[in-house]
Amino acid sequence: MQRTKELYPLRRKVAEACRNGWYMGGRYAANIDGHERVFQADSLGWLAKDVNAWLASNEEHHANDRLLVRCIEAC
């Protein structure tokens, strides 16, 4: 596992947002510039992996926007 300081800027942004929004396994919503996507995650690692894949696909338009990850339903 890499330290947060050693990550690329986009991955660091995702890791910090997921860590700040993590509560426990369940459903999570990631918001960036008015776009929202819901993820199902049992661990912080899976959540970060899924959010990173989603954000990487939209990196061209939203790389500099603020990312918010929050728990919407805990399991």
Side-chain angles (χ1 to χ4, degrees):
M1 178 180 267
Q2 288 184 312
R3 294 180 184 183
T4 305
K5 293 178 184 179
E6 297 171 352
L7 296 174
Y8 294 106
L10 184 64
R11 294 210 50 197
R12 182 180 316 129
K13 175 192 234 180
V14 170
E16 290 173 353
C18 289
R19 187 176 56 241
N20 290 338
W22 179 256
Y23 177 64
M24 63 186 310
R27 291 180 54 210
Y28 285 81
N31 296 313
I32 191 161
D33 192 34
H35 300 282
E36 180 176 271
R37 176 121 185 236
V38 176
F39 300 93
Q40 184 78 27
D42 292 333
S43 70
L44 180 57
W46 280 108
L47 178 62
K49 179 181 151 280
D50 290 344
V51 172
N52 187 53
W54 173 64
L55 189 57
S57 68
N58 296 307
E59 182 179 8
E60 182 179 320
H61 302 289
H62 302 292
N64 296 326
D65 296 336
R66 187 168 182 199
L67 174 65
L68 173 67
V69 177
R70 62 187 170 86
C71 181
I72 55 176
E73 182 182 333
C75 290

